Amino acid sequence: MDILNFLESLRWGVILNIVFTVLFLIVALRLVKTFMFRLFERIKKRARDSESTKNFDTLRVILIHGINFIIFIFAAINILNLLGVDVRPIITAAGVVGVAVGFGSKRFVEDLISGLIILFEGQIRVGDVVEIQNVTGTVEKMTLSIIVLRSIDGAAHFIRNGMVDMVTNYTRGFSYSLVEISVAYKEDIAHVIDVIKKIGEDLRHEEEYCDKITGEIEVLGLDKFNDSSITILARFRTLPRYQWDIKRAFNLRIKEKFDELGIEIPFNQLVITENKN
């Protein structure tokens, strides 16, 4: 009953102002998102490379969250004023509590400072494939407090910025597609290396991959002597994020060509001998 009496005591003008404030909040949030998207799309068109594009995407997300927070605070204060609530004590208390929490919460300060450092140094950008705290995934979202990684199995990992002590970025500047090719000891290694180079050159000139591979295949030579095979190490220099696609395509062509030429790729075999006695 108290709530009903309170609502009845409100003037229609106050109710309409509250409704308009809520509508303004909804429209403003959408306009900010649309404006920022269009603004950064124009900026990205003038970007020199994909690295700058990732920086702009990350900055856009953080700016949208910051502006939305400010708009929400102003709308909340306006509604409280319309309801006749004196917001000055609330603002003062919030300021005191905020300062106390800021100084008293070590985790909050660590997350904030780490987030600022990561942002300004460009260590991580939205869209990068990174490894943090033994978790590998694509950076889906980044704020001043957390990083959201989406792993290959679809799981979302929320990592506090304060916990980020080492970052492995697989898509910074350029990437290497590293390939290990195992062959039998009986094979002519010089011939095998020539075949690998030929397959690499053919792949590099294919229409689908010519703009993703940025250099000739490098055959680094014999890398391992295994129990039943020899491993040859090779690599391609690629654009960021394409190293895995290139590796899969190259492995497929290696398998097909080795089968055609009769080059043996060893595999573990289990031999069972039956005793008839």
Side-chain angles (χ1 to χ4, degrees), residues 164 175 259:
V164 179
S175 301
D259 287 347

Side-chain angles (χ1 to χ4, degrees), residues 76-137:
I77 291 175
N78 187 53
I79 291 174
L80 290 174
N81 278 326
L82 292 172
L83 294 174
V85 178
D86 188 0
V87 298
R88 288 176 297 180
I90 298 176
I91 295 174
T92 303
V96 173
V97 172
V99 172
V101 171
F103 281 104
S105 175
K106 182 180 179 181
R107 289 179 54 175
F108 172 79
V109 175
E110 286 179 351
D111 293 344
L112 180 62
I113 294 176
S114 298
L116 289 172
I117 292 174
I118 292 171
L119 174 64
F120 289 126
E121 291 186 353
Q123 299 175 13
I124 305 173
R125 287 78 48 90
V126 173
D128 280 349
V129 179
V130 300
E131 180 181 343
I132 305 173
Q133 296 292 321
N134 295 321
V135 176
T136 300

Side-chain angles (χ1 to χ4, degrees), residues 86-197:
D86 188 0
V87 298
R88 288 176 297 180
I90 298 176
I91 295 174
T92 303
V96 173
V97 172
V99 172
V101 171
F103 281 104
S105 175
K106 182 180 179 181
R107 289 179 54 175
F108 172 79
V109 175
E110 286 179 351
D111 293 344
L112 180 62
I113 294 176
S114 298
L116 289 172
I117 292 174
I118 292 171
L119 174 64
F120 289 126
E121 291 186 353
Q123 299 175 13
I124 305 173
R125 287 78 48 90
V126 173
D128 280 349
V129 179
V130 300
E131 180 181 343
I132 305 173
Q133 296 292 321
N134 295 321
V135 176
T136 300
T138 302
V139 180
E140 191 173 82
K141 180 181 177 182
M142 180 178 175
T143 69
L144 292 179
S145 58
I146 63 168
I147 297 168
V148 181
L149 296 185
R150 181 75 63 175
S151 57
I152 194 171
D153 60 358
H157 304 268
F158 297 82
I159 302 174
R160 289 177 39 232
N161 288 336
M163 297 177 63
V164 179
D165 53 357
M166 187 180 78
V167 178
T168 302
N169 194 326
Y170 294 102
T171 53
R172 183 63 182 266
F174 64 90
S175 301
Y176 276 115
S177 182
L178 198 63
V179 186
E180 296 182 343
I181 306 106
S182 296
V183 297
Y185 276 92
K186 68 181 181 63
E187 300 296 340
D188 183 349
I189 299 302
H191 173 61
V192 172
I193 290 177
D194 289 339
V195 172
I196 293 172
K197 288 181 178 178

Side-chain angles (χ1 to χ4, degrees), residues 205-216:
H205 290 95
E206 288 187 20
E207 182 178 356
E208 184 179 355
Y209 302 105
C210 62
D211 58 340
K212 300 173 183 176
I213 300 175
T214 59
E216 297 181 355

Side-chain angles (χ1 to χ4, degrees), residues 26 55 76 87 144 150 161 165 206 228 235 248 265 275:
I26 297 172
N55 287 331
V87 298
L144 292 179
R150 181 75 63 175
N161 288 336
D165 53 357
E206 288 187 20
S228 59
R235 69 179 184 179
R248 296 185 188 102
I265 302 176
N275 189 355

